[in-house]
Amino acid sequence: MTNLAGKSVLLVISGGIAAYKSLELIRLLRKARTEVRCILTKGGSEFITPLSVSALSEHPVYTDLFSLKDESEMGHIRLSRDADIIIVTPASANLMAKLANGIADDLASTTLLASNKPIFVAPAMNPEMWAKPSTQRNIEILRSDGVQFIGPAAGEMACSETGLGRMIEPQDIFDALQSYFKLSTPLAGKRALVTSGPTYEPIDPVRFIGNRSSGKQGHAIAAALARAGAEVTLVTGHVSLADPVGVRTLHVETASEMLDACQSALPAHIAVCAAAVADWRVENSADQKIKKQTGASTPSLSFIENPDILAEISKSPNRPDLVIGFAAETQDVVKAAQEKLVRKGCDWILANQVGKTDNPVFGTDHNQVTLVSRSNCDEWPPLSKKEVAARLVEAMISHFNDTGTKHDDKPISRPLSSAS
Ligand code: CTP
């Protein structure tokens, strides 16, 4: 797996004969299990079709700022926020001029202006255009604004002139992005295990006991760990989410299956148990469908306790260096979470208060959590589940930076008593 696996790239394709090379770049990125979303400018669509871009990227292509469809599917702000980086291939003189001068008159230039992510450009233009003082001024502005240039190269151009202005080959752009991510993958070399979603405990072959967990938080954590360079195994119950890109995903149904899959993924450096595991399973589950018989008494179920996966991982001989659980509590959140942490033998717990109407949690995209360790806690503001995931991964990175691979309470900032 390359260090581009699990990353998300927004590719802006502007007008120029080199636009066709973007198709090969998309292919290389997808092969490396990178998520690719594309904006095709009006000029770009004169050279390649939206259909080929969308077929290769496996996503719709975004073309028009004011198209209701594009904006309702994914607005330009989200497009720029969801990607780890933005890369413009080919970057035309016109688009570079707009980017240098803050002009936002179409989807590509507006998204670039709205972006808070690293921007890479692979320029492609006629050598005279490249050498023009106006273009050179724009390049200087872009460089001082932190835009990173990949190329251009020198050589023969499509217009049969020779000089500086050829777009760098897709493989070289791919290699440049690889090198960039190598430097920005602080968890490279770490193995992580994440559980997510509900478990289903069968009553008979067609009925089960389950719960409302959507898996959104666990899946977001797996994706964030992969983006930070970790080698991630996600063990998930039934959810309606796609497997995160660049993450080895094992699908299970019951708590016992989840435990087996987790044990097969050890040893690991990090374990995050975000699954809503059923506490009990049906002891007398039936091999055949239980039939309703008129006049007969209703069936009664007896239960048997399920293994506690978090506790099992915490006491495993292959115990990860950092074991993290979740706790949904209705009262005394921090105290209850700390007791749970001691009982289950984990290092951190992300605790949230459920049952409050302003923090419904299940199925929503938001969460408000407190990160609790044995002696500290840190109450986080309301965040999206993706932001919670990113912040948790940041906490893990500083933990490993501070302590090597040993666990202690360092990364958490506030004394326990102050958050309850
Ligand atoms: N968990 C687990 N296996 C179980 C039950 C829970 O791995 N059989 C994990 C969850 O993934 C979560 C943490 O334990 O990280 C807390 O789950 P919770 O349901 O709050 O804990 P319980 O032990 O069931 O405690 P409670 O009595 O509060 O329900």
Side-chain angles (χ1 to χ4, degrees):
M1 208 181 280
T2 71
N3 48 13
L4 276 161
K7 298 286 184 291
S8 171
V9 169
L10 176 65
L11 182 64
V12 177
I13 306 170
S14 72
I17 187 75
Y20 77 93
K21 291 186 182 176
S22 304
L23 298 176
E24 174 61 5
L25 180 61
I26 298 171
R27 199 190 63 76
L28 289 169
L29 289 168
R30 290 297 297 138
K31 201 167 148 220
R33 300 169 71 183
T34 310
E35 173 122 286
V36 187
R37 294 198 179 260
C38 298
I39 294 178
L40 188 59
T41 68
K42 198 160 171 289
S45 62
E46 301 289 334
F47 293 91
I48 54 175
T49 67
L51 190 60
S52 45
V53 175
S54 97
L56 282 169
S57 66
E58 298 170 72
H59 279 300
V61 181
Y62 302 92
T63 49
D64 181 2
L65 176 59
F66 303 108
S67 146
L68 200 56
K69 185 167 164 285
D70 284 0
E71 277 295 294
S72 58
E73 271 172 8
M74 187 183 260
H76 62 278
I77 300 289
R78 248 193 80 201
L79 262 179
S80 68
R81 295 293 184 275
D82 280 4
D84 294 303
I85 59 160
I86 303 186
I87 174 156
V88 188
T89 65
S92 64
N94 183 45
L95 189 52
M96 281 170 36
K98 289 198 223 176
L99 183 55
N101 293 286
I103 294 169
D105 63 355
D106 63 1
L107 179 61
S109 53
T110 307
T111 306
L112 287 164
L113 189 62
S115 164
N116 59 358
K117 295 293 160 63
I119 297 176
F120 294 78
V121 292
M125 67 197 72
N126 169 278
E128 290 296 334
M129 288 170 84
W130 176 258
K132 268 280 177 302
S134 54
T135 307
Q136 288 300 314
R137 277 197 301 276
N138 289 335
I139 292 165
E140 213 164 294
I141 293 171
L142 290 173
R143 284 209 166 109
S144 71
D145 286 350
V147 173
Q148 307 191 50
F149 279 71
I150 307 177
E156 196 181 338
M157 313 291 294
C159 56
S160 72
E161 288 180 21
T162 302
L164 199 56
R166 258 177 81 90
M167 189 168 109
I168 287 277
E169 292 308 314
Q171 184 66 55
D172 297 329
I173 297 175
F174 178 84
D175 292 346
L177 298 183
Q178 280 246 72
S179 311
Y180 167 77
F181 279 117
K182 206 174 212 156
L183 299 174
S184 66
T185 48
L187 292 181
K190 297 262 184 263
R191 290 183 61 170
L193 162 66
V194 181
T195 70
S196 184
T199 62
Y200 286 179
E201 307 299 333
I203 297 171
D204 67 17
V206 295
R207 302 179 181 92
F208 61 86
I209 294 171
N211 62 67
R212 292 184 201 280
S213 169
S214 67
K216 284 180 181 171
Q217 188 63 79
H219 277 54
I221 291 168
L225 280 164
R227 274 199 300 278
E231 186 187 325
V232 186
T233 301
L234 172 67
V235 181
T236 179
H238 275 282
V239 292
S240 55
L241 302 170
D243 293 351
V245 180
V247 169
R248 183 169 80 110
T249 305
L250 307 177
H251 296 266
V252 297
E253 195 150 277
T254 64
S256 305
E257 289 169 11
M258 187 170 271
L259 177 62
D260 288 347
C262 287
Q263 280 167 339
S264 77
L266 294 177
H269 301 92
I270 300 162
V272 184
C273 291
V277 184
D279 289 323
W280 303 278
R281 65 179 178 277
V282 180
E283 189 178 26
N284 55 339
S285 62
D287 292 338
Q288 304 297 328
K289 185 182 171 195
I290 302 170
K291 304 296 276 185
K292 183 175 59 183
Q293 286 161 1
T294 322
S297 58
T298 52
S300 71
L301 302 175
S302 59
F303 291 95
I304 179 170
E305 200 172 322
N306 262 332
D308 190 308
I309 297 166
L310 176 58
E312 292 296 329
I313 291 173
S314 297
K315 65 179 187 217
S316 153
N318 286 323
R319 189 191 192 281
D321 302 312
L322 187 57
V323 181
I324 303 169
F326 273 74
E329 306 292 347
T330 51
Q331 55 185 350
D332 291 337
V333 176
V334 172
K335 191 163 168 278
Q338 205 199 15
E339 280 165 12
K340 197 166 281 182
L341 179 147
V342 171
R343 177 161 45 89
K344 302 203 180 202
C346 58
D347 303 306
W348 297 351
I349 278 202
L350 281 181
N352 53 17
Q353 180 154 1
V354 289
K356 287 201 310 188
T357 46
D358 56 346
N359 191 24
V361 184
F362 278 120
T364 69
D365 289 324
H366 290 83
N367 208 352
Q368 176 162 20
V369 298
T370 301
L371 178 51
V372 179
S373 72
R374 269 161 211 261
S375 57
N376 292 302
C377 75
D378 188 10
E379 190 179 341
W380 294 356
L383 297 167
S384 75
K385 287 182 177 172
K386 285 185 180 172
E387 288 165 338
V388 168
R391 193 160 169 165
L392 179 62
V393 170
E394 284 303 316
M396 293 181 204
I397 293 164
S398 27
H399 170 80
F400 285 116
N401 285 343
D402 287 357
T403 65
T405 53
K406 290 214 176 320
H407 90 263
D408 64 14
D409 295 326
K410 276 187 185 159
I412 307 174
S413 57
R414 213 142 49 80
L416 185 63
S417 54
S418 59
S420 39

